[in-house]
Every structure is written in structure tokens, then in C-alpha cells.
Amino acid sequence: MSYMELPKLEDYEVSPKTGFLPDELPIRRLSDSYFDPWEDLVEELPSLILVKKIRELVDELPILSVERIASDKRELRRAYSILGFLSHAYVWNVDIATENLPKALAKPLIEASEILEVPPLATYAGLILWNFRPIRKSAETFDLDNLTTINTYTGSIDESWFYLVSVYFEYKGAGCITGGLDAMKYVREDSIEKVTESLKSLAEAIDMLGSVLMRMEEMCDPHTFYYRIRPYLAGWKNMADAGLPNGLKYGDEEEYRSYAGGSNAQSSLIQTLDIILGVEHYPTGQREETRDSKVVSASSGSNNFMNEMRKYMPGPHRRFLEHLGQVANIRSYVTEKNDSLLTLAYDASVAMLKAFRDKHIQIVTRYIILQAGAFKKSGSKNTLRSGISKTAEKKDQKGTGGTALMPFLKQCRDETGDTAAGEWGQSILSKNVLTSRPREDDTPGVDTKRPKLGLAGSWSSSDDGAAAGHW
């Protein structure tokens, strides 16, 4: 029998050591002085945001081109990251959002995005994957306590920590990628013992990712995140309440462009784990009962939001997921062999992924749902959230995803549990026995049953109404 080859990481800019992070550290400043106008401006971005001078100074920028660095991916990533930061600051820094991005930002941002195969705005790649550096060269490079950001909007520790936890998350996830590929290789060799051991290791690695995620609470304050950081992560898709009913015009373009804001749903690692384990996702409100299916395809899930988020990933990473989806074989092998130890190891990995999604729900609840509820409950008219129009602030926080945020996240969690292969796993994981519940005393009196929020990452499909929110 002939098989399509398993994906080779190096073909898709994926590293066995750093995962979807670049194997070479991002550069801290563009080497050509030609780009100093950009670098000088982004270096002072937090101060310029504070005094609301960013639009004025961006309007004075010369129109530069990235053509001279088009063949240097590290330089190009740096340019893309800078232009993303400046563009979002330009749009959201003043009380009334602008629907026109000046040519000095639009032209080079579009140029860079086309080469890197990402949309022209601040994506997860520009904010996270290409925006970190070690503090001390002598220490362990990827230790979370030795990382800092290159740029932020606010200059705050909270914002840096928010990005850096995701950097560390991606780094620790490298073992999940290699472990999953190992398991897939052993399936082809029909080695039940090796597949079992690989799945045990994968379960432990996914469990560690959940612990990394919960470190967000150490140095990122939910109130600061919601009011001072998150607004600048907003894109220009479904943002009518915030002053962008049609999206954004780039430079001299006559047509509006509409893009979702930065979201951790744009992380290729999360979708990689789903594909490896054969987890299916469907449009919100249309959860499929996959537990009784003998074979779960890793690529046939029809969740429009998650498919859309692939468009925001770097092209090579997107193609990696496509290749992986075509060769995923673990769940079908587990159900076919019906081996008790193999099934238990597989279900343990599924359980850890479901537990990770529970922790994600807890973080989203604390950092977004409760904060939105607290603002609405307070009835405050004096709190001005940077980057959000006063009109939007008064509109009941429906934002771009409305009330579908938590239903989406919970359905993703439940669909993960549906993937369990054994009777014990199906029984335990389908009943939410492992579900974590956020602490209800964080914001007393706030009703979180029908969250209404929006901005960065909350997105609604025009096709089926499915929506999701991250960050």
C-alpha cells in the first residue's frame, strides 16, 4: 500500500525544537537605516498612544517599500510586525476610529503580507511568533523568565506577559508536534506498543500546555487587559459599533477590506493537536455526535470560524496543517485495534486536550466575560477604553461575536470529548466530569450566562452565524 509521506517539518518552517516559532530569533530592529522612520516611531509607540499623537506622526511618514528586504524573511517579518502595530494604533488610538489607512502604512504592509502569506494587519504571527527576544544571552533562551517582547502598544508588563505566555506556549508545544508525528509513523509500522508510549507522552505534553496557559494570571491583570490592551488587538471585521461599518480602506484602494483581529485561534498549534487526535469541530449550535463513529476524519470538520482562522496563519504553517490532515491516522488505528492500553493512552491525550480547553474557558471568562459584565453593571460613563469609540462603549458590548463566544468555546471542548475511543473515555469525557469551572467570586453579582462582548478576535460567520472569541 502506498502512503502520502508524513510532513517534514523543515518543509513548512516548523522546528522540532521551537515548533511554529522561528528557529532563528526575531531581529530586534531592521538593519537598513532606510527603515528608521518606522523603527523610531514604533519604539515610541506607547508614549505616542498615551498622548494620542500617533496619527499625526504616521501621516508624516515617507512611503517606503519592503522590496529591498523581500528576500530576507527575518527582516520581512520584522517589517510586517512593525507595520501591524502602527496600523492598529493608527486606527484605534483616537476616540473615533478612522476607516482609511494611509498609504505610508498600507502599501508596505500589503507588500510584506503578500510575501509572507498573511493578511495585512496585526495577526498572531506578528504579535507573538515574530515579536520576542531573550533578556540575557547567557540564560536559557526560551525560559519564560528570560523572555521579553520587542514591541507593545502600552509599554506595560501586563501586555508583554500576555504575549510572552503565548510564545512560551508555542515553544513547549514543539514536543506535541514531534510526538504526534512519531505516533503517526508508528501507526504506519503497526507498532501498538510504540503508538501507546507516544500517546502517553503526548498526554503529558498537552497537560503541560494547560499549566503554561494558566500562568497568564501571574502578571497580566484582567482589568488592564480588557480596558487597555485588548482594544488595540481589534481588527476591522464586524466592527460597526466601534465606528467601522464597512471595514478599512488601504491607501488608494477604493474597496474596503475586512479582517478579524488578533486571536489565539490563529495559533497553528491548537489546530495541530486537533488534527493529530482526530477532533472534529462543527458550526456553533450544530455539534455532531461523533462518539459512535468508527472513523473520524481530521479534515472534514466544517467549523467556518476555525477554517477562516487558517487564513491568518503564515502560508507554510497553513500548508502544514493541510498536509497533516491528509495523513492523520491515529484515531482510526485506535478504534481498529481495540487494544485496551492503546485506547486508554489515546483517551488520556483527548482528556488532556479537553482539560486544556476548560482552562482556556476559565481564562476567557476572567479576562473578557467578567470584565464586560462588570463594566455594564457599573453603568460607568467616564471610563474611556483606549481605541474604542464612545458610541461602541454604550452599545451593550455586543461587539463582533455577540453572545456566541462561550457557546463556541464550550462546544469545542465538548467536541474534543466526543473524540474518545473507549467506552470509559466516552462515558467520562462526554459528561464533563473533567470540566473546570471559573471562580464565581472574581466579580460578585456578574451574570456570565449570556456574555455580550466583542472586539479582538470575536468574529461571526456571515454564512451560518457561528461565532467565536479569543483574546
Side-chain angles (χ1 to χ4, degrees):
M1 180 181 296
S2 61
Y3 288 108
M4 174 185 286
E5 290 188 4
L6 295 177
K8 297 178 181 178
L9 299 183
E10 61 271 19
D11 292 343
Y12 298 102
E13 297 182 4
V14 185
S15 166
K17 180 180 179 182
T18 61
F20 293 103
L21 297 173
D23 52 8
E24 289 186 282
L25 290 172
I27 61 173
R28 297 173 59 176
R29 187 178 180 94
L30 292 166
S31 59
D32 193 333
S33 61
Y34 170 78
F35 298 107
D36 282 352
W38 297 351
E39 288 284 8
D40 293 343
L41 204 56
V42 79
E43 184 178 355
E44 300 297 332
L45 187 58
S47 298
L48 296 175
I49 284 177
L50 183 65
V51 296
K52 299 187 183 296
K53 291 289 186 181
I54 189 65
R55 282 190 192 169
E56 175 185 328
L57 295 177
V58 165
D59 288 336
E60 297 174 358
L61 283 175
I63 299 176
L64 307 178
S65 173
V66 300
E67 183 177 351
R68 61 176 68 195
I69 57 173
S71 61
D72 190 324
K73 190 148 286 187
R74 293 178 75 205
E75 295 271 343
L76 199 61
R77 288 168 176 167
R78 172 63 185 158
Y80 174 80
S81 182
I82 292 172
L83 293 166
F85 271 100
L86 293 178
S87 296
H88 283 245
Y90 187 91
V91 171
W92 298 118
N93 182 222
V94 182
D95 295 354
I96 299 176
T98 177
E99 62 177 16
N100 295 288
L101 191 66
K103 191 173 182 179
L105 294 180
K107 180 179 181 294
L109 180 55
I110 290 173
E111 291 175 349
S113 68
E114 288 178 347
I115 299 172
L116 294 169
E117 301 179 83
V118 282
L121 78 166
T123 59
Y124 184 90
L127 294 165
I128 307 296
L129 302 182
W130 307 332
N131 183 42
F132 69 93
R133 64 178 179 85
I135 299 171
R136 302 183 313 280
K137 293 182 179 179
S138 59
E140 171 61 37
T141 299
F142 286 94
D143 190 321
L144 184 53
D145 296 328
N146 189 46
L147 291 175
T148 189
T149 47
I150 299 174
N151 293 110
T152 63
Y153 293 103
T154 64
S156 66
I157 293 174
D158 303 76
E159 185 179 356
S160 286
W161 189 255
F162 176 71
Y163 299 154
L164 294 173
V165 168
S166 291
V167 171
Y168 192 58
F169 173 82
E170 295 288 342
Y171 171 68
K172 300 301 287 188
C176 294
I177 302 171
T178 56
L181 287 174
D182 284 344
M184 292 165 68
K185 181 184 70 173
Y186 296 140
V187 165
R188 294 184 170 199
E189 297 172 0
D190 194 19
S191 175
I192 291 180
E193 294 79 9
K194 289 184 178 180
V195 176
T196 302
E197 290 305 311
S198 294
L199 288 172
K200 288 179 182 178
S201 298
L202 182 61
E204 294 175 359
I206 297 174
D207 182 43
M208 181 183 295
L209 292 182
S211 299
V212 171
L213 180 65
M214 296 309 294
R215 292 196 65 181
M216 186 69 69
E217 299 175 318
E218 292 180 17
M219 297 183 69
C220 183
D221 176 69
H223 183 276
T224 300
F225 168 76
Y226 186 78
Y227 286 94
R228 296 303 175 195
I229 301 169
R230 190 169 187 257
Y232 288 106
L233 305 177
W236 15 98
K237 185 182 184 75
N238 297 332
M239 295 300 290
D241 285 352
L244 298 180
N246 303 306
L248 196 67
K249 288 184 177 181
Y250 281 64
D252 298 332
E253 294 182 351
E254 295 184 0
E255 298 295 324
Y256 289 91
R257 293 185 181 226
S258 180
Y259 299 111
S263 165
N264 67 4
Q266 296 165 9
S267 166
S268 302
L269 178 58
I270 303 300
Q271 292 204 24
T272 295
L273 296 175
D274 280 338
I275 293 172
I276 287 172
L277 293 174
V279 177
E280 289 284 8
H281 297 292
Y282 296 86
T284 304
Q286 299 179 31
R287 177 184 172 195
E288 296 288 329
E289 293 298 328
T290 61
R291 292 189 299 273
D292 297 329
S293 175
K294 287 293 183 184
V295 178
V296 177
S297 165
S299 58
S300 65
S302 57
N303 184 283
N304 288 357
F305 175 77
M306 300 186 83
N307 290 337
E308 179 76 6
M309 286 299 98
R310 287 197 185 185
K311 299 177 183 178
Y312 292 79
M313 301 172 187
H317 297 171
R318 184 166 61 248
R319 288 188 287 276
F320 172 79
L321 294 177
E322 293 168 356
H323 188 162
L324 193 67
Q326 294 176 35
V327 296
N329 56 9
I330 294 176
R331 190 181 191 278
S332 59
Y333 181 77
V334 171
T335 56
E336 175 189 338
K337 292 300 180 181
N338 195 28
D339 178 88
S340 59
L341 292 179
L342 174 64
T343 301
L344 185 60
Y346 172 80
D347 285 353
S349 293
V350 171
M352 290 303 99
L353 184 55
K354 183 176 182 181
F356 168 81
R357 286 197 152 104
D358 277 324
K359 292 175 180 177
H360 184 208
I361 289 172
Q362 181 174 336
I363 290 291
V364 169
T365 299
R366 292 199 67 201
Y367 281 77
I368 300 175
I369 305 302
L370 295 178
Q371 298 305 314
F375 181 89
K376 180 181 177 182
K377 184 177 178 66
S378 71
S380 173
K381 297 181 180 181
N382 299 319
T383 302
L384 178 62
R385 291 165 57 188
S386 301
I388 303 178
S389 69
K390 293 179 180 179
T391 301
E393 198 63 88
K394 296 176 182 178
K395 280 192 175 287
D396 201 28
Q397 292 301 316
K398 289 184 180 180
T400 60
T403 61
L405 170 60
M406 292 307 282
F408 170 84
L409 294 176
K410 291 179 179 179
Q411 179 171 313
C412 284
R413 175 200 63 200
D414 295 342
E415 287 166 340
T416 302
D418 289 344
T419 311
E423 292 184 6
W424 177 85
Q426 291 173 7
S427 174
I428 294 297
L429 297 180
S430 66
K431 295 179 180 178
N432 291 334
V433 172
L434 300 179
T435 298
S436 301
R437 298 189 180 277
R439 294 186 294 274
E440 297 179 353
D441 58 349
D442 283 345
T443 307
V446 175
D447 179 11
T448 63
K449 294 181 181 179
R450 294 180 54 81
K452 296 184 179 182
L453 60 142
L455 301 183
S458 292
W459 179 86
S460 177
S461 166
S462 59
D463 296 324
D464 62 11
H470 298 69
W471 283 5

